[in-house]
Amino acid sequence: MQLETIERLDTAALVSAAQDGDAEAWERLIEEFSPMLKARIRRFRLNHEDAQDVLQTTWLLAWQNLKSVEDGQRMAGWLATIAFRECLKLTRRTREICTPDLDSLGSTDDVDKELARIWLAGTLAELVEELPAAQRVLFRALTETSEPHYVDVARRLGRPVGSIGPTRARCFAKLRGLLQAREITRDFLD
């Protein structure tokens, strides 16, 4: 395929050309998707060297498995999944996150969701440690049971019942701010 004669190929055509050994098509894929991958990798707050390693590993794995891509239009999601998994691997190695038996989870989407849940739980635990002591104690008291009652929590913590709601609101607002500072938003796991 002569890429120089085509102004702008769609992603599927680029993937197909790269699968056929067209080096220019592969370079254009790297150009097109590297900014998106860098943004996804940044969400993990890795140092520069680790982020670069993840990016390079993502592209290496993509190259090695390019023939397995059946729908080139799904290239962005496929690359994002590779990068996400590589970030989790690195995070797991450096933070020793315990993961369940992923083979028992079933589909790739289930595995991705479980890995994301584990990573997010670890990140949330770190952020809770950054809360002021009173908010940290309240957060833990409220999350120890599935249906906490303010009266029970207030009694256990020796606080007035009326102070639980406002302290909880300040605690959650602070956590939201900490999550946003790390660029972790509702669409993070999409």
Side-chain angles (χ1 to χ4, degrees), residues 54-95:
V54 168
L55 182 63
Q56 289 176 358
T57 302
T58 299
W59 283 115
L60 176 64
L61 291 170
W63 176 253
Q64 290 172 341
N65 297 288
L66 189 60
K67 295 282 186 189
S68 70
V69 176
E70 295 176 11
D71 181 0
Q73 289 302 110
R74 300 185 65 141
M75 187 72 168
W78 185 66
L79 289 169
T81 299
I82 294 171
F84 181 79
R85 288 178 176 173
E86 289 305 307
C87 286
L88 286 175
K89 283 181 191 175
L90 181 64
T91 303
R92 191 169 47 241
R93 280 194 306 267
T94 58
R95 296 186 188 163

